[in-house]
Amino acid sequence: MAEPVVVVRELRKAFAGITALNGVDLEIERGRVCALLGPNGAGKTTLVRILTTLLRPDSGSVRVAGWNVLEEPGEVRAAVGLTGQNSMVDGLLTGRENLLLVARLRGAGRREARIVADDLLDRFRLTDAARRPAGGYSGGMRRRLDLAAALVGGPRLVVLDEPTTGLDPESRLDTWDAVADLTARGTTVLLTTQYLEEADRLADRITVVDRGEVVATGTADELKAAAGTSRVVLCVAEDHHVEPATRAAASATGAEPRVDRRARRVEVAVTDGQAAVGRVLANLTAAGVEVLEIGLRRATLDDVFLGLTAGPRRRPG
Ligand code: ATP
C-alpha cells in the first residue's frame, strides 16, 4: 500500500521551556480529511508550521507526500497548499491577479497561469468578482480566494489552519461549502479547528489534541460512542437542591455528573438511557428534590471534547 500522505512520529517541540508538542503521532491517508481538533494553545499551529517546513521540530520524524520535512523541505513545500488563520490575499490586487501571482510563483508560465487562475475562479464562484480588488471582498469570498490560492499547482496535501476562525456565520457556511467541494474531489486535507461542529461536518477522522498530546483519534461516531451513548440532563428549582440532585444522579448511574451551578443543571453520562432516567428520578423524589426538567439526550462531540480536554487550562500564548 502507498505511504500515507502525512506520517508524523513522536513529534516534539518546545519554546523556551514551554512544551508545544509532546510526542505526537499522526497519519493521513490519501484522499482523507483529517481534523486536528483542540482548544487554544493545544499545539495545532505548531504542528502545521512544522508540516509546512516553517518551523524545525526538536525531535521525531515528519514526512509529507513521501518527503522528509528536514531533509527535503523544497519538495515538501511544493507538495503542500496552505491557507492560514491570516489571509494571504493581497487586498490591492484583484482576485484574478492574486491567483496569477501565486501560479507564477509556483512556476507556471503566463498562459498556464491564466488557465489555472480562471479555472479556480470559476470553481470557487469568484468569476464575477475576479476583476475587483480583493480588499473589497466579503469574509467568505476572501476565504474562498485563499482556498483557491492553496490549490494552485495541484498540491498533494492542503492544510487549512482554522479556516473559519473569526468569520460571521454566513461566511462560515460559505467556507464549509467550498471545503466540502474540495473534499468531494478527493483532495487530502489537514484541517485544524477549535470548532467541534466544523470537525464533525468536514472530517473523516478527528484527532483531538490537548496540551501538545493526542488525547483521542477516530471518526466522529467512534469518538461519540467512546464518550457514552447518552446523557440524563436535569434542572432543579432551588440552589440548595443542586447538591442532593448531583448525589442522586451519581448514585443512580455510578458516573460522575457534570454540574452547572448557575443554571442549576446536572448532567450525567449513561449507557442504559431510559432505565437510567427512571432510576435518577426515583432517587430525586426520595431525596425530596424538586425537578423542573429532566430528559435524555444523545452524546455529542462536545461531550467528547469536554471529557477529553477538561482540567485547568494552560494560558494560551
Ligand atoms: P490556537 O488555537 O490558539 O492557534 P494552537 O493549538 O494552534 O492554538 P499553538 O499556537 O501551536 O497552539 O501553541 C502551542 C503552545 O506553544 C502554546 O502554549 C503557545 O503559547 C506556545 N508557542 C507557540 N509558538 C510559540 C513561540 N513562537 N514562542 C513561544 N511559545 C510558543
Side-chain angles (χ1 to χ4, degrees):
M1 227 180 72
E3 177 176 327
V5 176
V6 173
V7 182
V8 174
R9 295 268 182 266
E10 273 296 303
L11 181 60
R12 287 174 205 280
K13 178 74 191 177
F15 298 99
I18 297 175
T19 303
L21 297 173
N22 191 20
V24 167
D25 292 312
L26 181 75
E27 276 191 11
I28 310 176
E29 301 283 348
R30 204 174 131 213
R32 292 295 166 88
V33 181
C34 169
L36 206 59
L37 178 66
N40 268 157
K44 304 181 297 295
T45 301
T46 303
L47 179 62
V48 164
R49 292 179 65 207
I50 292 173
L51 272 178
T52 50
T53 77
L54 299 174
L55 190 68
R56 289 175 71 86
D58 293 342
S59 66
S61 80
V62 180
R63 295 174 67 81
V64 177
W67 307 107
N68 184 308
V69 292
L70 284 178
E71 288 154 21
E72 295 133 334
E75 284 83 352
V76 170
R77 280 195 288 273
V80 177
L82 170 68
T83 82
Q85 292 178 40
N86 303 313
S87 172
M88 317 249 185
V89 166
D90 183 335
L92 294 176
L93 300 180
T94 67
R96 188 166 187 268
E97 285 164 350
N98 267 286
L99 293 183
L100 287 173
L101 181 67
V102 176
R104 296 286 282 157
L105 287 173
R106 286 235 171 209
R110 268 178 212 288
R111 202 180 113 77
E112 190 193 346
R114 280 200 296 272
I115 294 170
V116 167
D118 290 336
D119 179 48
L120 285 167
L121 287 164
D122 180 43
R123 191 172 144 193
F124 286 92
R125 294 182 287 117
L126 290 166
T127 304
D128 289 347
R131 289 170 201 277
R132 293 208 321 257
Y137 285 10
S138 70
M141 286 165 78
R142 248 171 189 267
R143 295 290 163 111
R144 287 207 306 262
L145 186 58
D146 256 336
L147 277 178
L151 288 187
V152 170
R156 301 271 312 276
L157 173 72
V158 173
V159 178
L160 309 175
D161 192 16
E162 304 204 7
T164 65
T165 294
L167 287 187
D168 59 80
E170 198 180 329
S171 302
R172 172 169 296 162
L173 287 176
D174 195 14
T175 306
W176 282 351
D177 279 348
V179 175
D181 174 73
L182 203 75
T183 59
R185 290 169 187 243
T187 310
T188 310
V189 177
L190 173 66
L191 164 88
T192 76
T193 183
Q194 300 186 33
Y195 303 115
L196 301 149
E197 194 190 350
E198 185 159 286
D200 200 359
R201 193 160 163 154
L202 297 177
D204 302 309
R205 287 183 76 74
I206 300 172
T207 293
V208 184
V209 283
D210 192 26
R211 300 169 206 200
E213 292 181 11
V214 172
V215 292
T217 187
T219 63
D221 284 343
E222 283 165 0
L223 293 178
K224 285 177 198 170
T229 48
S230 50
R231 298 282 185 281
V232 173
V233 188
L234 64 96
C235 284
V236 296
E238 309 277 348
D239 284 342
H240 67 273
H241 281 170
V242 175
E243 279 303 327
T246 307
R247 282 198 299 276
S251 71
T253 60
E256 193 178 336
R258 206 155 76 206
V259 182
D260 178 344
R261 276 173 209 292
R262 282 185 58 174
R264 297 193 288 269
R265 189 168 179 279
V266 176
E267 191 178 314
V268 66
V270 296
T271 46
D272 56 342
Q274 207 169 322
V277 180
R279 288 199 308 276
V280 172
L281 198 54
N283 277 9
L284 290 166
T285 308
V289 172
E290 192 187 336
V291 179
L292 284 181
E293 256 182 70
I294 185 163
L296 192 65
R297 68 168 178 80
R298 284 197 301 187
T300 64
L301 213 45
D302 274 295
D303 299 318
V304 178
F305 195 59
L306 287 170
L308 290 170
T309 61
R313 182 81 54 238
R314 186 181 54 204
R315 223 162 351 130

